[in-house]
Amino acid sequence: YHEVFISGTQPTAADTTKVGMQVVPDANGDPQLWVDGCATPIELGFLDLDNVEADHPDWHTANADWIARAKQGPGTAGGPDPATPTKTSFIFDPRNTPYGKSWGDPFPPTTTCTQAPPSPSPTIEFTLPPTTLFTPPPVTQPPVTEPPPPTEPPPPTEPPTPKPTKAPTEPPPPTPPPTEAPADAPP
């Protein structure tokens, strides 16, 4: 990652925020500080922000607050002014991600190998690349749900009874044929 600095303002080795530490993995693979008597250590790089802006001691409280929130992850709200909380973020401009979705390195472990429970199998070898520590995100699975119990089909129904119809009526009697008009009837 390349940056431009005004001549004389570029960071020096004393300004680095990355330190190498000897660690050993615990039973879960998380690094712990190595102490004499533990398994063979490996050296990994960690963020050390304790000396950031050390020339401004009046800023130390705000820096320590941000570091504590950053260790909880991006988006953790807080800050020196409770009325105007800020959130931690990897970088101000989300398009500029020189370290990907990380702080650049993990924060140092806070426990030593003597404080951890013993490893379940001392024969397991654990190696990581010397400059990175990657913890994969937890895999979440959808909850397993039981299928609903089968429902019984409704009992068969009787076919509908047809409605009764009216009894047929007898045809009307035949109409008598017309009679002839009398001869003396007016036309």
Side-chain angles (χ1 to χ4, degrees):
Y1 184 73
H2 299 281
E3 292 188 53
V4 177
F5 295 91
I6 297 173
S7 183
T9 65
Q10 61 272 21
T12 65
D15 296 329
T16 186
T17 58
K18 184 174 181 177
V19 295
M21 294 183 165
Q22 290 188 328
V23 296
V24 292
D26 67 8
N28 297 323
D30 298 321
Q32 294 185 313
L33 296 170
W34 178 83
V35 294
D36 192 28
C38 292
T40 305
I42 57 174
E43 186 162 321
L44 295 177
F46 294 96
L47 288 177
D48 179 11
L49 303 178
D50 293 335
N51 294 319
V52 171
E53 300 175 328
D55 54 335
H56 297 282
D58 51 328
W59 297 354
H60 182 73
T61 302
N63 288 346
D65 173 71
W66 185 90
I67 292 167
R69 291 185 292 123
K71 287 179 180 180
Q72 297 175 42
T76 305
D81 182 1
T84 312
T86 60
K87 292 183 178 181
T88 57
S89 64
F90 291 130
I91 200 155
F92 290 116
D93 183 349
R95 296 169 295 173
N96 181 10
T97 54
Y99 306 113
K101 297 293 184 186
S102 79
W103 302 119
D105 278 303
F107 287 99
T110 56
T111 58
T112 64
C113 58
T114 57
Q115 295 172 334
S119 177
S121 173
T123 59
I124 295 176
E125 281 291 321
F126 181 81
T127 57
L128 288 176
T131 59
T132 61
L133 177 66
F134 173 73
T135 304
V139 176
T140 57
Q141 302 250 343
V144 177
T145 57
E146 294 289 326
T151 56
E152 292 189 27
T157 57
E158 296 280 330
T161 306
K163 290 186 177 184
T165 57
K166 286 185 173 181
T169 56
E170 296 208 17
T175 310
T179 56
E180 282 199 29
D184 59 342

